[in-house]
């Protein structure tokens, strides 16, 4: 979903692509007010911290005007659009976090099936083995399948270390 948002933001951007925005740089909107500050830039995606959200945008969403990095939107418009995307993602994740749903790891290894969803943890069953994982480790992959944001080897190593 973040990729889709970056593409949508690029469509509303000025036509002059940016090459790079330095971390700490203020980004200004088309209303000449500061939208936020660049928090990360990996050369492809720039994360702008608006104070409310950390919004990932493609580098081509930005333009430089008179030495100022700009977006062709306002802070309110950006936060509204990104907030809607986040709400949609949260609803989709909540809908997937139900008993009986298969869960894989980020490296596409089957991990188990949800047995129980608690307030801040999920209990998975894989045959006789039970695995409890924090709720914040779960996400949907690009195809909408439920995954854990860790690879299988790391999860197994953590479980072995926890067992003693």
């Amino acid at each position: 979903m973040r990729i889709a948002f970056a593409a949508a933001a690029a469509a509303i951007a000025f036509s002059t692509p940016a090459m790079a925005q330095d971390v700490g740089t203020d980004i200004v909107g088309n209303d000449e007010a500061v939208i936020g500050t660049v928090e990360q830039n990996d050369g492809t995606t720039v994360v702008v911290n608006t104070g409310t959200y950390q919004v990932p945008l493609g580098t081509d969403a930005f333009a430089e005007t008179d030495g100022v990095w700009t977006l062709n939107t306002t802070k309110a418009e950006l936060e509204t659009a990104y907030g809607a995307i986040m709400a949609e993602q949260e609803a989709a994740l909540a809908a997937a976090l139900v008993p009986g749903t298969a869960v894989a790891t980020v490296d596409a290894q089957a991990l188990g099936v949800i047995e129980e969803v608690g307030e801040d943890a999920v209990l998975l069953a894989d045959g006789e083995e039970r695995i409890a994982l924090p709720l914040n480790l779960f996400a949907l992959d690009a195809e909408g399948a439920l995954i854990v944001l860790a690879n299988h080897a790391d999860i197994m190593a953590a479980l072995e270390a926890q067992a003693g």
Side-chain angles (χ1 to χ4, degrees):
M1 287 295 198
R2 288 180 185 218
I3 293 169
F5 184 75
I12 63 171
F14 288 109
S15 60
T16 307
M19 297 314 256
Q21 298 78 27
D22 293 330
V23 171
T25 300
D26 284 338
I27 303 300
V28 175
N30 59 14
D31 60 354
E32 299 183 12
V34 173
I35 289 175
T37 305
V38 174
E39 193 168 88
Q40 296 175 13
N41 182 350
D42 67 6
T44 304
T45 303
V46 177
V47 177
V48 177
N49 187 335
T50 69
T52 303
Y53 296 110
Q54 296 172 332
V55 183
L57 299 165
T59 56
D60 58 350
F62 300 85
E64 186 179 16
T65 306
D66 299 325
V68 176
W69 288 105
T70 62
L71 286 171
N72 189 20
T73 190
T74 66
K75 180 178 180 174
E77 291 168 340
L78 182 64
E79 286 184 340
T80 298
Y82 192 69
I85 289 169
M86 295 303 295
E88 183 180 306
Q89 287 178 344
E90 289 171 11
L93 180 59
L97 282 167
V98 294
T101 302
V103 178
T105 58
V106 75
D107 57 343
Q109 303 296 312
L111 190 59
V113 175
I114 294 177
E115 189 170 272
E116 183 180 332
V117 178
E119 192 169 309
D120 53 1
V122 175
L123 181 63
L124 301 175
D126 184 19
E128 304 263 330
E129 189 173 354
R130 300 288 184 266
I131 303 170
L133 295 172
L135 199 53
N136 65 355
L137 281 183
F138 291 83
L140 298 176
D141 68 10
E143 290 79 37
L146 190 61
I147 61 169
V148 174
L149 298 173
N151 66 47
H152 194 269
D154 289 343
I155 292 171
M156 293 301 119
L159 290 172
E160 285 180 28
Q162 186 179 27

